[in-house]
Amino acid sequence: MLPVVVVHGGAGHIPKERSETSTTGVCSAVRAGYAVLQGGGSSMDAVVEAVTQLENNPSFNAGCGSVLNIKGEVEMDAMVMDGKTLASGAVSIVRNIANPIQLARLVMDKTSHVCLAGEGANQFARSMGVPEVPLESLITDYSRMRWKKNLVPGANPVECQMGKMGTVGAVAVDIEGNVASATSTGGILNKMEGRVGDTPVIGSGGYADNEIGAVSTTGHGEAIMKITLARLILFHMEQGQSVEAASDLGLAYMKSRVDGLGGVVTVDPHGHWAARFSSLQMSWAAAQKNTIHYGLYTGEHFTQSIVEPR
Amino acid sequence: MLPVVVVHGGAGHIPKERSETSTTGVCSAVRAGYAVLQGGGSSMDAVVEAVTQLENNPSFNAGCGSVLNIKGEVEMDAMVMDGKTLASGAVSIVRNIANPIQLARLVMDKTSHVCLAGEGANQFARSMGVPEVPLESLITDYSRMRWKKNLVPGANPVECQMGKMGTVGAVAVDIEGNVASATSTGGILNKMEGRVGDTPVIGSGGYADNEIGAVSTTGHGEAIMKITLARLILFHMEQGQSVEAASDLGLAYMKSRVDGLGGVVTVDPHGHWAARFSSLQMSWAAAQKNTIHYGLYTGEHFTQSIVEPR
């Protein structure tokens, strides 16, 4: 059954004109992650590659294309977790970095800490030779338009949040049965400066444990944190629930207990996988046995074959 | 059985000359928290009052007395969580604030976010009229001595960490059966700038849920985060374990899985409580039925009566 990689491009309400780029983007990212696994790479390599692709794609709310905070700036959160050792690395409210997910991995690999925030994270980036990029290179016209729209007195923040709720993420199982999780985000539109969401929070934005499985989450960060969604889903799996049932139980609890919507991608160490959401939409894609699976609305499940490289 | 408040002053190895001030400090803090409950205050009011006392006491690694980071500065993390609504507030790597726990509560009460980090947290403090204090007012001679000692080439970081591993925290149950958790810390000695530990991370540094109970943790933050210690203990309680057994199961798992030591204070909504640790010591105190319970080494359990105010 294994290996597998599953990605999400964010839960929320995606405007019609952006649904095609969103679907194309997750399919492309999952292909890149799957190619890593096929080349003998680890699940950690695969999720970082998939999320890097999503960060580089301006259609998604992570890296280039991140939503803007109240001041019109970009502050990003990201996290990786390795199911073999429970090692984890995260960055929060980091600025001027093209690929926060790669910086999060460096925190895991090169420091004794799990999370670095703010200017300290940028100092660490410089010490590792990670280039800083101009703020403008992370901002799209679309992000700026939505930010301005929401500053207008009487603006409807829910409408403005449309299409920008999402966080991106990936989970994978490699040929050795190791699981990994990676999640990256620009946060929520017009957030306060310094706001940290669920993404860099172990157990909320993601979790990975070879003995259970791996989860990456998206949706309303404050709700996700209140119920530690990723860890909750894995607790259900520890008690015998399938990846799908456990994901649904976690999302249903989030709706009933704290009135929050979101979505998840989940795997177990055998390669079973699920992409589930309680929001109107979530762009997702999975790659396994040379087939890409993908969808956007509830119940959608398209497939296409991956042509083997000759 | 209820109401009750339980505090910890940090797990670790407390030098002999500091053990008395540490014990006096937790007993004094638990009295203050208990007085809030006796006056009809909420569990949230009680834990914030108890932790405020510990932050103000220079013997503890939170507020004044915080350990210094590699640059000799103070960056603090704190979190509160309300078991009734799962509402939570946190600040991370905040500077120049005397009582981060009160700022964390303001994040919960006055914003739509759960966590604010760095300069954004300080901006929020200013907007709320919370005064900023000079860095020097948070630094004790003892903290500076330990920091310098650890900068010497060939220093033994484990020895230098002695007596400064701890984070402070409190859990409580009020007369209505509402539970709350509060945790505050200066982090770990000579940490990198921007390092975020477990304390502001929901599910790791603390958790509170009226349907299960509340936990506040202390110990090696990176280990605590990897296993989401607070939420893990509450999962064991959901499955029928007592506060004591669940706490021990969580701590034993942290030792076996990620080789981490620490301690916790735990309550359930009926007022059962536990103070448990896998480290050599943890200063702790509990107040219930007009009696103070306290201890420092494994197996120690002293009691003294609280004289009722006339």
Side-chain angles (χ1 to χ4, degrees), chain A residues 18-66:
Chain A
R18 294 175 73 83
S19 63
E20 196 176 319
T21 54
S22 190
T23 298
T24 313
V26 289
C27 287
S28 171
V30 89
R31 268 172 195 275
Y34 192 63
V36 170
L37 294 180
Q38 285 187 307
S42 69
S43 51
M44 177 56 67
D45 292 337
V47 294
V48 169
E49 177 59 29
V51 170
T52 296
Q53 299 263 332
L54 294 166
E55 286 176 338
N56 291 343
N57 187 328
S59 299
F60 298 100
N61 174 20
C64 174
S66 287

Short mmCIF file of all heavy atoms in Angstrom, two decimals, chain A residues 18-66:
data_model
loop_
_atom_site.label_atom_id
_atom_site.label_comp_id
_atom_site.label_asym_id
_atom_site.label_seq_id
_atom_site.Cartn_x
_atom_site.Cartn_y
_atom_site.Cartn_z
N ARG A 18 -10.59 30.77 -9.11
CA ARG A 18 -9.31 30.27 -8.61
C ARG A 18 -9.32 28.75 -8.37
O ARG A 18 -8.31 28.18 -7.95
CB ARG A 18 -8.93 30.98 -7.31
CG ARG A 18 -8.64 32.47 -7.53
CD ARG A 18 -8.38 33.20 -6.24
NE ARG A 18 -7.10 32.86 -5.66
CZ ARG A 18 -5.95 33.42 -6.01
NH1 ARG A 18 -5.90 34.33 -6.95
NH2 ARG A 18 -4.82 33.08 -5.40
N SER A 19 -10.44 28.12 -8.64
CA SER A 19 -10.52 26.69 -8.32
C SER A 19 -9.61 25.86 -9.23
O SER A 19 -9.03 24.87 -8.78
CB SER A 19 -11.96 26.20 -8.37
OG SER A 19 -12.47 26.33 -9.66
N GLU A 20 -9.48 26.28 -10.50
CA GLU A 20 -8.66 25.47 -11.39
C GLU A 20 -7.17 25.57 -11.04
O GLU A 20 -6.48 24.55 -10.97
CB GLU A 20 -8.87 25.90 -12.86
CG GLU A 20 -8.33 24.83 -13.81
CD GLU A 20 -8.64 25.19 -15.26
OE1 GLU A 20 -9.76 25.66 -15.52
OE2 GLU A 20 -7.74 25.00 -16.11
N THR A 21 -6.71 26.79 -10.78
CA THR A 21 -5.29 26.93 -10.40
C THR A 21 -5.00 26.21 -9.09
O THR A 21 -3.92 25.66 -8.88
CB THR A 21 -4.88 28.42 -10.25
OG1 THR A 21 -5.79 29.04 -9.33
CG2 THR A 21 -4.92 29.15 -11.56
N SER A 22 -5.99 26.20 -8.21
CA SER A 22 -5.82 25.54 -6.93
C SER A 22 -5.68 24.02 -7.12
O SER A 22 -4.77 23.39 -6.55
CB SER A 22 -7.04 25.87 -6.06
OG SER A 22 -6.83 25.46 -4.74
N THR A 23 -6.54 23.45 -7.95
CA THR A 23 -6.47 22.01 -8.22
C THR A 23 -5.17 21.64 -8.94
O THR A 23 -4.50 20.67 -8.58
CB THR A 23 -7.70 21.57 -9.05
OG1 THR A 23 -8.87 21.83 -8.28
CG2 THR A 23 -7.63 20.10 -9.40
N THR A 24 -4.84 22.42 -9.95
CA THR A 24 -3.58 22.18 -10.68
C THR A 24 -2.39 22.23 -9.72
O THR A 24 -1.47 21.42 -9.79
CB THR A 24 -3.39 23.25 -11.77
OG1 THR A 24 -4.60 23.38 -12.49
CG2 THR A 24 -2.26 22.87 -12.71
N GLY A 25 -2.45 23.18 -8.80
CA GLY A 25 -1.34 23.38 -7.86
C GLY A 25 -1.15 22.21 -6.92
O GLY A 25 -0.01 21.75 -6.71
N VAL A 26 -2.23 21.69 -6.36
CA VAL A 26 -2.07 20.56 -5.43
C VAL A 26 -1.63 19.30 -6.18
O VAL A 26 -0.83 18.51 -5.67
CB VAL A 26 -3.32 20.28 -4.55
CG1 VAL A 26 -3.50 21.38 -3.52
CG2 VAL A 26 -4.57 20.08 -5.39
N CYS A 27 -2.14 19.12 -7.41
CA CYS A 27 -1.73 17.94 -8.19
C CYS A 27 -0.23 18.01 -8.53
O CYS A 27 0.49 17.00 -8.46
CB CYS A 27 -2.57 17.81 -9.46
SG CYS A 27 -4.26 17.27 -9.11
N SER A 28 0.21 19.19 -8.89
CA SER A 28 1.62 19.37 -9.22
C SER A 28 2.50 19.14 -7.98
O SER A 28 3.55 18.48 -8.05
CB SER A 28 1.79 20.79 -9.76
OG SER A 28 3.13 21.10 -9.90
N ALA A 29 2.05 19.63 -6.83
CA ALA A 29 2.83 19.47 -5.59
C ALA A 29 2.89 18.01 -5.17
O ALA A 29 3.93 17.52 -4.73
CB ALA A 29 2.22 20.32 -4.47
N VAL A 30 1.79 17.30 -5.33
CA VAL A 30 1.77 15.90 -4.90
C VAL A 30 2.64 15.05 -5.81
O VAL A 30 3.29 14.09 -5.37
CB VAL A 30 0.31 15.38 -4.78
CG1 VAL A 30 -0.19 14.80 -6.09
CG2 VAL A 30 0.20 14.34 -3.66
N ARG A 31 2.67 15.41 -7.09
CA ARG A 31 3.57 14.73 -8.02
C ARG A 31 5.03 14.89 -7.59
O ARG A 31 5.82 13.94 -7.63
CB ARG A 31 3.46 15.34 -9.42
CG ARG A 31 2.47 14.68 -10.32
CD ARG A 31 2.34 15.54 -11.60
NE ARG A 31 1.16 15.13 -12.33
CZ ARG A 31 1.14 14.13 -13.20
NH1 ARG A 31 2.24 13.45 -13.47
NH2 ARG A 31 0.01 13.80 -13.81
N ALA A 32 5.37 16.12 -7.23
CA ALA A 32 6.75 16.40 -6.82
C ALA A 32 7.11 15.60 -5.57
O ALA A 32 8.20 15.02 -5.47
CB ALA A 32 6.93 17.89 -6.56
N GLY A 33 6.19 15.55 -4.61
CA GLY A 33 6.44 14.78 -3.40
C GLY A 33 6.56 13.29 -3.69
O GLY A 33 7.41 12.60 -3.14
N TYR A 34 5.70 12.82 -4.58
CA TYR A 34 5.69 11.39 -4.92
C TYR A 34 6.98 11.00 -5.66
O TYR A 34 7.51 9.91 -5.44
CB TYR A 34 4.46 11.08 -5.77
CG TYR A 34 4.19 9.60 -5.93
CD1 TYR A 34 3.89 8.80 -4.83
CD2 TYR A 34 4.21 9.01 -7.20
CE1 TYR A 34 3.62 7.45 -4.98
CE2 TYR A 34 3.95 7.65 -7.35
CZ TYR A 34 3.65 6.88 -6.24
OH TYR A 34 3.38 5.53 -6.39
N ALA A 35 7.47 11.90 -6.50
CA ALA A 35 8.73 11.62 -7.22
C ALA A 35 9.87 11.43 -6.22
O ALA A 35 10.75 10.59 -6.43
CB ALA A 35 9.04 12.77 -8.18
N VAL A 36 9.84 12.20 -5.13
CA VAL A 36 10.86 12.03 -4.09
C VAL A 36 10.79 10.63 -3.49
O VAL A 36 11.80 9.94 -3.35
CB VAL A 36 10.69 13.10 -2.98
CG1 VAL A 36 11.59 12.79 -1.79
CG2 VAL A 36 10.98 14.50 -3.53
N LEU A 37 9.57 10.19 -3.19
CA LEU A 37 9.41 8.85 -2.61
C LEU A 37 9.83 7.76 -3.60
O LEU A 37 10.47 6.78 -3.22
CB LEU A 37 7.95 8.61 -2.20
CG LEU A 37 7.40 9.47 -1.06
CD1 LEU A 37 5.94 9.10 -0.79
CD2 LEU A 37 8.23 9.30 0.21
N GLN A 38 9.47 7.96 -4.86
CA GLN A 38 9.84 6.97 -5.88
C GLN A 38 11.35 6.89 -6.07
O GLN A 38 11.88 5.84 -6.43
CB GLN A 38 9.17 7.31 -7.21
CG GLN A 38 7.68 6.95 -7.21
CD GLN A 38 7.07 7.13 -8.59
OE1 GLN A 38 7.21 8.20 -9.19
NE2 GLN A 38 6.42 6.09 -9.08
N GLY A 39 12.01 8.02 -5.82
CA GLY A 39 13.46 8.05 -5.92
C GLY A 39 14.15 7.51 -4.67
O GLY A 39 15.36 7.64 -4.52
N GLY A 40 13.36 6.97 -3.75
CA GLY A 40 13.94 6.40 -2.54
C GLY A 40 14.09 7.40 -1.41
O GLY A 40 14.67 7.09 -0.36
N GLY A 41 13.53 8.61 -1.60
CA GLY A 41 13.63 9.64 -0.55
C GLY A 41 12.74 9.31 0.64
O GLY A 41 11.84 8.47 0.56
N SER A 42 13.00 10.01 1.74
CA SER A 42 12.23 9.78 2.96
C SER A 42 10.89 10.53 2.91
O SER A 42 10.71 11.44 2.11
CB SER A 42 13.02 10.29 4.17
OG SER A 42 13.10 11.70 4.12
N SER A 43 9.99 10.15 3.79
CA SER A 43 8.72 10.87 3.89
C SER A 43 8.96 12.34 4.25
O SER A 43 8.25 13.22 3.76
CB SER A 43 7.80 10.20 4.91
OG SER A 43 8.45 10.01 6.14
N MET A 44 9.98 12.61 5.06
CA MET A 44 10.29 14.00 5.41
C MET A 44 10.72 14.78 4.16
O MET A 44 10.25 15.90 3.93
CB MET A 44 11.39 14.03 6.48
CG MET A 44 11.86 15.43 6.88
SD MET A 44 10.56 16.55 7.48
CE MET A 44 10.10 15.76 9.02
N ASP A 45 11.60 14.18 3.36
CA ASP A 45 12.00 14.84 2.10
C ASP A 45 10.77 15.11 1.22
O ASP A 45 10.67 16.17 0.59
CB ASP A 45 12.96 13.94 1.31
CG ASP A 45 14.32 13.78 1.98
OD1 ASP A 45 14.68 14.65 2.79
OD2 ASP A 45 15.00 12.77 1.69
N ALA A 46 9.86 14.15 1.17
CA ALA A 46 8.70 14.27 0.29
C ALA A 46 7.75 15.39 0.73
O ALA A 46 7.28 16.17 -0.10
CB ALA A 46 7.94 12.93 0.24
N VAL A 47 7.47 15.47 2.04
CA VAL A 47 6.52 16.50 2.48
C VAL A 47 7.14 17.90 2.36
O VAL A 47 6.44 18.86 2.01
CB VAL A 47 5.98 16.26 3.91
CG1 VAL A 47 5.12 15.01 3.96
CG2 VAL A 47 7.08 16.21 4.97
N VAL A 48 8.44 18.00 2.61
CA VAL A 48 9.08 19.31 2.47
C VAL A 48 9.09 19.74 0.99
O VAL A 48 8.82 20.90 0.66
CB VAL A 48 10.51 19.31 3.07
CG1 VAL A 48 11.27 20.58 2.69
CG2 VAL A 48 10.44 19.17 4.58
N GLU A 49 9.32 18.79 0.09
CA GLU A 49 9.30 19.12 -1.34
C GLU A 49 7.90 19.55 -1.78
O GLU A 49 7.74 20.56 -2.48
CB GLU A 49 9.76 17.90 -2.17
CG GLU A 49 9.70 18.10 -3.67
CD GLU A 49 10.55 19.27 -4.18
OE1 GLU A 49 11.56 19.58 -3.53
OE2 GLU A 49 10.16 19.87 -5.21
N ALA A 50 6.88 18.80 -1.36
CA ALA A 50 5.51 19.14 -1.77
C ALA A 50 5.11 20.52 -1.24
O ALA A 50 4.53 21.34 -1.97
CB ALA A 50 4.53 18.07 -1.26
N VAL A 51 5.43 20.78 0.02
CA VAL A 51 5.03 22.07 0.61
C VAL A 51 5.86 23.22 0.02
O VAL A 51 5.34 24.32 -0.19
CB VAL A 51 5.12 22.01 2.16
CG1 VAL A 51 4.95 23.40 2.77
CG2 VAL A 51 4.06 21.06 2.70
N THR A 52 7.11 22.97 -0.31
CA THR A 52 7.92 23.99 -0.99
C THR A 52 7.24 24.42 -2.29
O THR A 52 7.16 25.61 -2.61
CB THR A 52 9.34 23.45 -1.27
OG1 THR A 52 9.99 23.19 -0.02
CG2 THR A 52 10.17 24.45 -2.07
N GLN A 53 6.75 23.45 -3.05
CA GLN A 53 6.05 23.75 -4.31
C GLN A 53 4.81 24.62 -4.06
O GLN A 53 4.53 25.54 -4.82
CB GLN A 53 5.60 22.45 -4.97
CG GLN A 53 6.72 21.50 -5.33
CD GLN A 53 7.15 21.64 -6.77
OE1 GLN A 53 6.33 22.01 -7.62
NE2 GLN A 53 8.40 21.35 -7.08
N LEU A 54 4.08 24.29 -3.00
CA LEU A 54 2.87 25.07 -2.69
C LEU A 54 3.23 26.47 -2.20
O LEU A 54 2.53 27.44 -2.52
CB LEU A 54 2.02 24.33 -1.65
CG LEU A 54 1.42 23.00 -2.14
CD1 LEU A 54 0.89 22.18 -0.95
CD2 LEU A 54 0.30 23.24 -3.15
N GLU A 55 4.32 26.59 -1.45
CA GLU A 55 4.79 27.92 -1.02
C GLU A 55 5.19 28.77 -2.22
O GLU A 55 4.94 29.99 -2.26
CB GLU A 55 5.99 27.78 -0.08
CG GLU A 55 5.64 27.30 1.33
CD GLU A 55 6.87 27.08 2.21
OE1 GLU A 55 7.99 26.91 1.68
OE2 GLU A 55 6.72 27.08 3.44
N ASN A 56 5.80 28.13 -3.21
CA ASN A 56 6.27 28.87 -4.39
C ASN A 56 5.14 29.24 -5.34
O ASN A 56 5.32 30.08 -6.22
CB ASN A 56 7.32 28.04 -5.15
CG ASN A 56 8.61 27.92 -4.37
OD1 ASN A 56 8.85 28.67 -3.43
ND2 ASN A 56 9.44 26.95 -4.75
N ASN A 57 3.99 28.60 -5.17
CA ASN A 57 2.84 28.84 -6.04
C ASN A 57 2.00 29.99 -5.47
O ASN A 57 1.46 29.88 -4.36
CB ASN A 57 2.01 27.54 -6.10
CG ASN A 57 0.88 27.63 -7.11
OD1 ASN A 57 0.31 28.70 -7.32
ND2 ASN A 57 0.54 26.50 -7.70
N PRO A 58 1.88 31.10 -6.21
CA PRO A 58 1.19 32.29 -5.65
C PRO A 58 -0.31 32.09 -5.42
O PRO A 58 -0.95 32.93 -4.81
CB PRO A 58 1.44 33.37 -6.70
CG PRO A 58 1.83 32.65 -7.94
CD PRO A 58 2.45 31.36 -7.54
N SER A 59 -0.87 30.96 -5.86
CA SER A 59 -2.29 30.71 -5.62
C SER A 59 -2.60 30.31 -4.19
O SER A 59 -3.77 30.27 -3.80
CB SER A 59 -2.78 29.56 -6.51
OG SER A 59 -2.64 29.90 -7.86
N PHE A 60 -1.58 29.99 -3.41
CA PHE A 60 -1.83 29.47 -2.06
C PHE A 60 -1.34 30.43 -0.98
O PHE A 60 -0.40 31.20 -1.19
CB PHE A 60 -1.16 28.10 -1.89
CG PHE A 60 -1.69 27.06 -2.83
CD1 PHE A 60 -1.00 26.71 -3.99
CD2 PHE A 60 -2.91 26.44 -2.57
CE1 PHE A 60 -1.50 25.77 -4.87
CE2 PHE A 60 -3.42 25.49 -3.45
CZ PHE A 60 -2.72 25.16 -4.60
N ASN A 61 -2.00 30.31 0.18
CA ASN A 61 -1.70 31.17 1.32
C ASN A 61 -0.53 30.62 2.13
O ASN A 61 -0.69 30.15 3.25
CB ASN A 61 -2.97 31.30 2.17
CG ASN A 61 -2.73 32.07 3.45
OD1 ASN A 61 -1.76 32.81 3.57
ND2 ASN A 61 -3.62 31.88 4.41
N ALA A 62 0.65 30.69 1.52
CA ALA A 62 1.89 30.26 2.18
C ALA A 62 3.02 30.73 1.29
O ALA A 62 2.89 30.73 0.07
CB ALA A 62 1.94 28.75 2.33
N GLY A 63 4.14 31.14 1.88
CA GLY A 63 5.23 31.68 1.08
C GLY A 63 4.70 32.80 0.21
O GLY A 63 3.95 33.67 0.68
N CYS A 64 5.08 32.80 -1.10
CA CYS A 64 4.55 33.81 -2.03
C CYS A 64 3.05 33.61 -2.19
O CYS A 64 2.60 32.52 -2.56
CB CYS A 64 5.26 33.66 -3.38
SG CYS A 64 4.55 34.72 -4.64
N GLY A 65 2.25 34.65 -1.90
CA GLY A 65 0.80 34.53 -1.95
C GLY A 65 0.17 34.52 -0.57
O GLY A 65 -1.05 34.44 -0.44
N SER A 66 1.02 34.61 0.46
CA SER A 66 0.51 34.67 1.84
C SER A 66 -0.44 35.84 2.01
O SER A 66 -0.27 36.90 1.38
CB SER A 66 1.68 34.85 2.83
OG SER A 66 2.43 33.66 2.96
#
